[in-house]
């Protein structure tokens, strides 16, 4: 029994090492592409260690600074950049296997107007980093710091139900009709 446990530990350690050798550098690279957009160019060159502890280069201080030394809003920007970078780095590389959507639930809760605008711009650019990897972006937000009209479709919820939406209806010609199929798909 002990032999199986030791072998399992060895397998897990080697799997972790392989993943860290591939995912960590890719995550850091993708995060480096996102971070300047989210922080108005102030923070660049994120460095992650093998426990995903983060430090960034602060252009104003001209020094490397650990994530824990920043305000809550700035830390949230770093966390979002890290999550987005990891999501892109972890995407399958084979053509046609990547998911077509990104789902963000309340990423703006601690963002000021400038930070909110930066994220909305990043999400809306179809030729940008997010747009090239995800065809659809779902953003759930209570924030009043941006115009929801910037997004193609909106659903406004109140009391657990849909209060307003501009989604096409099921009978609209904007949605292709789905024809029933016979037999296995």
């Amino acid at each position: 029994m002990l032999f199986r446990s030791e072998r399992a530990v060895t397998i897990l350690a080697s799997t972790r090492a392989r993943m860290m050798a591939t995912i960590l550098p890719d995550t850091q690279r993708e995060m480096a592409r996102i971070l300047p957009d989210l922080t108005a160019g102030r923070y660049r060159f994120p460095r992650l260690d093998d426990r995903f502890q983060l430090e960034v280069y602060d252009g104003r201080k001209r020094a490397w600074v650990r994530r824990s030394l920043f305000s809550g809003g700035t830390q949230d920007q770093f966390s979002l950049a890290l999550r987005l970078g990891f999501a892109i780095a972890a995407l399958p590389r084979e053509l046609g296997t990547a998911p077509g959507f990104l789902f963000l639930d309340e990423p703006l809760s601690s963002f000021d107007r400038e930070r909110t605008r930066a994220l909305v711009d990043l999400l809306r650019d179809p030729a940008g980093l997010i747009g090239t990897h995800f065809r659809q972006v779902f953003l759930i937000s209570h924030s009043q710091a941006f115009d929801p009209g910037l997004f193609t479709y909106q659903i406004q919820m109140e009391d657990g139900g849909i209060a307003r939406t501009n989604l096409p209806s099921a009978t609209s010609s904007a949605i292709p009709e789905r024809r029933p199929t016979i037999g296995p798909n």
Side-chain angles (χ1 to χ4, degrees):
M1 185 72 160
L2 185 60
F3 174 72
R4 287 185 184 168
S5 296
E6 290 172 358
R7 183 171 169 125
V9 168
T10 302
I11 290 170
L12 288 173
S14 67
T15 301
R16 182 184 188 282
R18 280 195 314 273
M19 288 179 68
M20 294 306 285
T22 57
I23 296 293
L24 184 68
D26 290 350
T27 298
Q28 189 170 290
R29 182 186 67 245
E30 298 302 337
M31 187 181 177
R33 295 172 64 191
I34 295 167
L35 196 57
D37 289 338
L38 287 181
T39 64
R42 179 169 180 184
Y43 305 110
R44 300 177 175 274
F45 314 115
R47 292 194 302 205
L48 296 164
D49 65 20
D50 63 354
R51 293 181 334 210
F52 279 83
Q53 297 300 309
L54 173 67
E55 62 181 11
V56 296
Y57 186 78
D58 183 335
R60 291 183 191 162
K61 293 181 179 179
R62 297 179 186 246
W64 291 94
V65 183
R66 287 178 301 163
R67 174 182 176 233
S68 61
L69 300 177
F70 291 98
S71 70
T74 302
Q75 285 189 34
D76 287 350
Q77 284 179 297
F78 296 155
S79 292
L80 181 59
L82 175 61
R83 290 191 311 267
L84 291 171
F86 179 80
I88 293 168
L91 287 173
R93 300 293 185 234
E94 296 82 25
L95 186 60
T97 60
F101 67 91
L102 176 66
F103 195 91
L104 299 169
D105 187 6
E106 286 296 341
L108 303 170
S109 60
S110 64
F111 283 21
D112 59 21
R113 286 198 181 278
E114 183 180 344
R115 291 174 175 145
T116 296
R117 189 173 29 255
L119 177 60
V120 168
D121 290 347
L122 182 71
L123 298 176
R124 290 188 60 244
D125 184 0
L129 183 61
I130 302 301
T132 58
H133 289 286
F134 302 100
R135 288 184 45 212
Q136 293 179 318
V137 175
F138 296 89
L139 174 65
I140 296 175
S141 180
H142 290 94
S143 175
Q144 302 291 317
F146 72 98
D147 175 13
L150 293 171
F151 292 91
T152 306
Y153 299 113
Q154 305 92 38
I155 300 172
Q156 183 177 350
M157 306 288 293
E158 289 179 10
D159 299 323
I162 297 175
R164 283 183 283 292
T165 182
N166 68 341
L167 288 172
S169 68
T171 59
S172 168
S173 62
I175 298 177
E177 182 180 332
R178 179 160 190 201
R179 302 203 183 269
T181 58
I182 300 174
N185 291 339

